[in-house]
Amino acid sequence: GAVVSQHPSWVICKSGTSVKIECRSLDFQATTMFWYRQFPKQSLMLMATSNEGSKATYEQGVEKDKFLINHASLTLSTLTVTSAHPEDSSFYICSARVDSREQFFGPGTRLTVL
Amino acid sequence: DAKTTQPPSMDCAEGRAANLPCNHSTISGNEYVYWYRQIHSQGPQYIIHGLKNNETNEMASLIITEDRKSSTLILPHATLRDTAVYYCIVRVATSGTYKYIFGTGTRLKVLA
């Protein structure tokens, strides 16, 4: 149980385009979802916290107009990287949680912006 | 504002116990310590968590010092598949929810 999926697993896009990443909790309803970014050989950095039906809470330094988060249901959250640039290339990982339990992480999405 | 400090890397012989230390000297009384591991290019996998008492599950044991300023994750019989980056995390309460503050992690290499 407690499986979280992400789609796509990898994506390559041109500079200036937008990319949408989906995060789904497959066998449970998540009260909260989180989005992280991880650069090569670095740790995970929390970008934002997302609760179903409400606006996401962004961490300091994360541009909310560039990284759009929609949490439409208890099993789906999406992250859209708008007007992507090469410096946005990274490994994006989501996680989902029920109440105060541990977070379950998705497999990650590798974004490469050319 | 990382709240944990870990050695960057460790080696362990296959079959032996792997002891991974973590310092969290600024932890608050109601903040939990979580451990996850990440195998290359995958999402982190939950291992164990604790608040004050030592904890054990089928994967590992977690030893937390009495003053809660440090902890040790113990993999009792390391295998080659335990090679991964291990993250010691403090869960903090903020704005009505909980979030993880990841440390820099320890890259554990299990040697045959």
Side-chain angles (χ1 to χ4, degrees), chain B residues 21-99:
Chain B
C22 177
N23 285 324
H24 31 79
S25 57
T26 61
I27 196 171
S28 298
N30 60 349
E31 292 175 344
Y32 281 74
V33 176
Y34 280 72
W35 283 83
Y36 281 73
R37 70 182 182 186
Q38 186 179 28
I39 296 170
H40 182 62
S41 294
Q42 297 181 25
Q45 175 192 22
Y46 168 79
I47 301 174
I48 199 166
H49 74 279
L51 181 64
K52 297 179 184 177
N53 300 321
N54 298 336
E55 303 287 343
T56 296
N57 62 21
E58 64 278 5
M59 287 184 71
S61 294
L62 175 60
I63 309 297
I64 302 174
T65 58
E66 195 167 336
D67 62 9
R68 300 210 328 119
K69 293 186 176 182
S70 65
S71 61
T72 301
L73 177 74
I74 302 172
L75 307 179
H77 305 286
T79 70
L80 298 178
R81 285 183 293 183
D82 291 324
T83 293
V85 178
Y86 287 76
Y87 291 103
C88 174
I89 298 161
V90 172
R91 189 191 79 170
V92 301
T94 177
S95 303
T97 187
Y98 299 100
K99 66 179 184 181

Side-chain angles (χ1 to χ4, degrees), chain A residues 8 17 29 31 39 53-54 59 82 85 87-89 97 103 113:
Chain A
T17 61
Q29 292 186 323
T31 49
F39 292 108
S54 60
E59 295 298 301
T82 63
H85 290 285
E87 57 265 31
D88 297 324
S89 298
R97 189 189 71 206
Q103 293 180 28
V113 185

Side-chain angles (χ1 to χ4, degrees), chain A residues 32 34 36 38 41-46 49 51 57 59 91 93 97 99-108 110, chain B residues 1 34 36 38 40-46 49 87 89 91 94-105 107:
Chain A
T32 308
F34 303 84
Y36 295 82
Q38 184 177 34
K41 297 195 183 299
Q42 293 188 24
S43 184
L44 279 74
M45 186 191 77
L46 179 64
T49 302
N51 291 299
T57 302
E59 295 298 301
F91 194 49
I93 307 172
R97 189 189 71 206
D99 298 325
S100 61
R101 290 186 56 194
E102 67 268 25
Q103 293 180 28
F104 298 98
F105 286 83
R110 186 160 303 283
Chain B
D1 58 343
Y34 280 72
Y36 281 73
Q38 186 179 28
H40 182 62
S41 294
Q42 297 181 25
Q45 175 192 22
Y46 168 79
H49 74 279
Y87 291 103
I89 298 161
R91 189 191 79 170
T94 177
S95 303
T97 187
Y98 299 100
K99 66 179 184 181
Y100 287 168
I101 305 296
F102 275 76
T104 52
R107 189 172 298 273

Side-chain angles (χ1 to χ4, degrees), chain A residues 53-94:
Chain A
S54 60
K55 290 184 178 180
T57 302
Y58 290 81
E59 295 298 301
Q60 193 171 8
V62 178
E63 299 177 58
K64 62 180 181 181
D65 294 331
K66 180 168 182 63
F67 299 99
L68 301 178
I69 292 172
N70 183 276
H71 194 158
S73 75
L74 288 173
T75 60
L76 173 65
S77 176
T78 60
L79 168 69
T80 301
V81 183
T82 63
S83 187
H85 290 285
E87 57 265 31
D88 297 324
S89 298
S90 188
F91 194 49
Y92 290 87
I93 307 172
C94 74

